[in-house]
Amino acid sequence: DFLLLVYKNLCTMVHTIVGIMGPDKGGEKVYEIAEALGKACAEKGYTVLTGGRSRGVMDAACKGAKAAGGTTIGIIPGDNPCNDVSPHVDIPIITGLGSARDNINVLTSNIVVAVGMGPGTSAEVSLALKAGKHTVLLAGPEEAVKFFTSLSPAHVHVAADVGAALAHIDSLRPKKL
């Protein structure tokens, strides 16, 4: 009876973690989109998870989430908590794993959103699809959209803007039982 009670309580405490992934050299337009998405997610009460570094999409998404009073998690590749962590990260997870931390990024996220595209972002999208995670592509190149959609059409969702990305997140997020 006790285990059933614990299970029922855990099932009603579903909290959505949105992994916002993207390049650290994506350009100002991509950073503006990431910041707006981070803010929109926080306004909905979602926790924002990024690679946690102090540059690029990682920093911009966390900055937006913090501006809206949200909670942020940063999965840090290095082993030094004083080195290159975004000032907008509430909970830094220091891994010492380098790029291998990409798997933690996607497995911890309920939904992954790729804002822009680069080598690390494409690795994260691939890992997310392999794990069966719903993945939203936002502001990515057409070639990447076609490629990832061909790999897993049921799990890839394309968004033209932050509002469309948020609509996908809202419809795909875990629901309370």
Side-chain angles (χ1 to χ4, degrees), residues 67-114:
T71 301
T72 60
I73 302 170
I75 309 298
I76 311 302
D79 58 5
N80 182 347
C82 299
N83 189 18
D84 201 25
V85 177
S86 169
H88 310 291
V89 168
D90 293 316
I91 305 166
I93 308 296
I94 311 303
T95 68
L97 294 174
S99 293
R101 64 87 148 84
D102 292 352
N103 212 29
I104 296 170
N105 289 351
V106 300
L107 292 177
T108 304
S109 302
N110 298 112
I111 300 162
V112 173
V113 182

Side-chain angles (χ1 to χ4, degrees), residues 5-141:
L5 177 65
V6 169
Y7 176 75
K8 285 182 180 179
N9 284 333
L10 286 175
C11 289
T12 60
M13 295 179 355
V14 174
H15 186 79
T16 302
I17 299 174
V18 178
I20 302 178
M21 312 300 155
D24 62 358
K25 296 180 179 127
E28 285 305 312
K29 182 66 176 165
V30 168
Y31 304 153
E32 289 171 10
I33 293 168
E35 186 174 343
L37 180 62
K39 182 178 181 191
C41 286
E43 288 171 345
K44 295 286 270 186
Y46 304 149
T47 296
V48 169
L49 180 145
T50 73
R53 296 166 94 181
S54 62
R55 58 185 180 267
V57 166
M58 299 171 278
D59 188 54
C62 288
K63 180 180 178 184
K66 291 311 302 171
T71 301
T72 60
I73 302 170
I75 309 298
I76 311 302
D79 58 5
N80 182 347
C82 299
N83 189 18
D84 201 25
V85 177
S86 169
H88 310 291
V89 168
D90 293 316
I91 305 166
I93 308 296
I94 311 303
T95 68
L97 294 174
S99 293
R101 64 87 148 84
D102 292 352
N103 212 29
I104 296 170
N105 289 351
V106 300
L107 292 177
T108 304
S109 302
N110 298 112
I111 300 162
V112 173
V113 182
V115 181
M117 191 59 63
T121 311
S122 64
E124 289 163 326
V125 171
S126 294
L127 289 166
L129 297 179
K130 187 173 180 179
K133 299 277 183 167
H134 286 285
T135 304
V136 179
L137 303 179
L138 174 61

Side-chain angles (χ1 to χ4, degrees), residues 140-151:
E142 187 177 326
E143 299 85 9
V145 170
K146 285 181 183 178
F147 174 72
F148 287 118
T149 302
S150 75
L151 294 179

